[in-house]
Amino acid sequence: HVLDRPIVYPPLYYWTYAWTRGLTHIEAYSIFVAGITLAMIMSLAITLKLVKQFEQDDYSPKTRNLLILFWVLLLFTLPFFASIERGNTDPFVVLLWMLGTYCFLQRQFIAWASISGVAMMYKIYPAVPTAVIGIAIIASYARQESKDYKTLLQIIGSGFLAMLLVSLMWWQQLVTYATEFFPWYADSDIHIQPFSHTIQHLKLIHPYLPAAAMACIFLGWCYFAARYIFRDPLMVFFGCLGISTYFAAVSYVYNLVTLYPLFCLLLLRSRTWQEVAFLIAGVQVFIGDPEIWDIFAAQEWRVLANALWLVLLIPLYSTRLAFYRQDKNPGYAFPPLQHATRQ
């Protein structure tokens, strides 16, 4: 407990605040705000680098400046402001995921697995996109697209090794967290309010709707990732990060900074008015003023709109664009894992 408030996060998360000892509240808060702002700037830099590498036909100084402006505007929306006000560390998770994505797409698979392992020990929800990517990788082996089983074993081993090393540093605290705090936190049933987006709120519409919505989102993105992880890797990795916070029992607006890379990619690829309208609808549904929904309907319908957008993104946007980019630029496809050791 800190100030009589239970710390419901893993030990690694807690100990990353050790640097605040000896500082005043204002000093620590100022450094923290600078840190999460820097994390978002670094995430933008990685996003631009990946877009330049994989979106060569659409990338130019003009589009780069547009993406920078769009990202800066996103930093003035509610999720990042809430991160500043609440002292939330999701910007660091975004940075870890973007670093891992960069390593994966540079075929540094061991580094990707290690970073993913650390991210899951820092917060729990990166386990969702990591699981989706893992299933996609296994599916590529099942289809015989990937054949380098040594690389697969290295990926699995390095991921578990990173998690084990972190666990051994605070083993007793991790056991306490896993047996006491995590079960309590996972069973939390928070009252629905405008700044929460957990899918569990959908039980106010129908008791079985939360399970159905989570299954549609998770299985839908598993399907898309399994088919396109080597054809459209940016959409897969950015989209998986975007869905990650919807499976927790407790999710708040500050978690939605995880959607910023996905919004940037969709902006870059928007070519028709339907695509632009879909993006604008997504930005409004996810990071617009949630209290507007009180005018028209209950807040649970806002959460349902979130879930529908994440599911509809697959057939209405991602799949068609994956085919489009593959036909337009055959070199866009990212080599499967059998090429990893041929550098």
Side-chain angles (χ1 to χ4, degrees):
H1 287 67
V2 175
L3 300 177
D4 294 325
R5 178 182 177 181
I7 298 297
V8 293
Y9 300 107
L12 177 60
Y13 180 101
Y14 173 81
W15 285 105
T16 55
Y17 280 94
W19 59 272
T20 60
R21 292 177 176 176
L23 299 177
T24 66
H25 174 74
I26 296 299
E27 291 171 341
Y29 180 72
S30 300
I31 295 173
F32 172 80
V33 171
I36 62 173
T37 303
L38 179 60
M40 294 304 290
I41 293 174
M42 294 174 66
S43 297
L44 169 62
I46 297 173
T47 300
L48 293 176
K49 190 173 184 63
L50 291 175
V51 164
K52 181 179 181 180
Q53 178 180 354
F54 287 93
E55 306 282 332
Q56 296 179 7
D57 292 335
D58 295 326
Y59 188 83
S60 66
K62 182 178 179 179
T63 56
R64 179 198 61 200
N65 294 337
L66 176 63
L67 291 178
I68 292 174
L69 175 61
F70 185 59
W71 189 279
V72 170
L73 292 176
L74 288 175
L75 294 183
F76 286 90
T77 58
L78 187 57
F80 187 66
F81 270 20
S83 295
I84 293 176
E85 190 272 333
R86 299 292 295 175
N88 186 261
T89 58
D90 286 279
F92 296 131
V93 177
V94 174
L95 177 58
L96 282 173
W97 185 257
M98 296 306 296
L99 285 171
T101 300
Y102 179 80
C103 290
F104 188 97
L105 298 183
Q106 306 308 314
R107 308 180 196 178
Q108 302 297 322
F109 302 119
I110 294 176
W112 165 74
S114 300
I115 293 173
S116 297
V118 172
M120 287 187 287
M121 298 303 293
Y122 184 69
K123 278 196 169 183
I124 299 299
Y125 70 78
V128 173
T130 301
V132 175
I133 300 299
I135 290 171
I137 291 174
I138 293 173
S140 73
Y141 280 90
R143 294 192 303 267
Q144 298 297 309
E145 291 180 357
S146 299
K147 301 177 182 179
D148 185 358
Y149 288 93
K150 179 181 177 181
T151 297
L152 178 61
L153 293 176
Q154 290 175 338
I155 290 173
I156 296 173
S158 56
F160 277 105
L161 179 60
M163 296 175 68
L164 177 62
L165 291 176
V166 173
S167 300
L168 292 177
M169 295 177 67
W170 302 287
W171 178 255
Q172 187 56 53
Q173 294 179 2
L174 182 63
V175 171
T176 301
Y177 167 78
T179 58
E180 297 180 20
F181 288 103
F182 179 71
W184 168 77
Y185 196 60
D187 290 336
S188 299
D189 187 12
I190 62 172
H191 178 70
I192 188 167
Q193 43 102 340
F195 304 104
S196 173
H197 64 271
T198 174
I199 286 183
Q200 295 301 325
H201 292 326
L202 296 182
K203 66 184 179 182
L204 297 175
I205 300 176
H206 191 280
Y208 297 119
L209 191 54
M214 285 191 285
C216 288
I217 295 173
F218 184 78
L219 295 178
W221 278 93
C222 282
Y223 167 80
F224 177 75
R227 292 198 64 180
Y228 300 112
I229 187 170
F230 299 120
R231 300 181 187 179
D232 198 348
L234 294 190
M235 186 66 78
V236 169
F237 276 85
F238 293 2
C240 286
L241 176 64
I243 70 171
S244 59
T245 65
Y246 279 81
F247 296 85
V250 180
S251 300
Y252 289 107
V253 65
Y254 44 68
N255 300 131
L256 294 179
V257 294
T258 54
L259 283 161
Y260 288 6
L262 178 61
F263 285 155
C264 281
L265 183 61
L266 295 182
L267 175 66
L268 179 68
R269 294 186 176 184
S270 295
R271 289 294 177 269
T272 66
W273 70 265
Q274 294 95 333
E275 293 164 355
V276 173
F278 190 72
L279 173 59
I280 293 174
V283 171
Q284 173 56 42
V285 164
F286 287 102
I287 64 177
D289 184 0
E291 294 183 332
I292 292 178
W293 289 81
D294 288 331
I295 301 174
F296 305 101
Q299 288 290 334
E300 56 266 26
W301 293 98
R302 170 182 57 83
V303 179
L304 179 61
N306 283 198
L308 288 174
W309 192 92
L310 291 171
V311 173
L312 291 175
L313 179 61
I314 300 171
L316 295 183
Y317 203 107
S318 304
T319 303
R320 182 171 63 83
L321 276 177
F323 281 119
Y324 164 74
R325 296 208 59 79
Q326 188 74 357
D327 293 339
K328 183 178 179 182
N329 181 12
Y332 180 80
F334 176 73
L337 297 188
Q338 69 260 32
H339 294 281
T341 59
R342 297 182 184 177
Q343 301 303 310

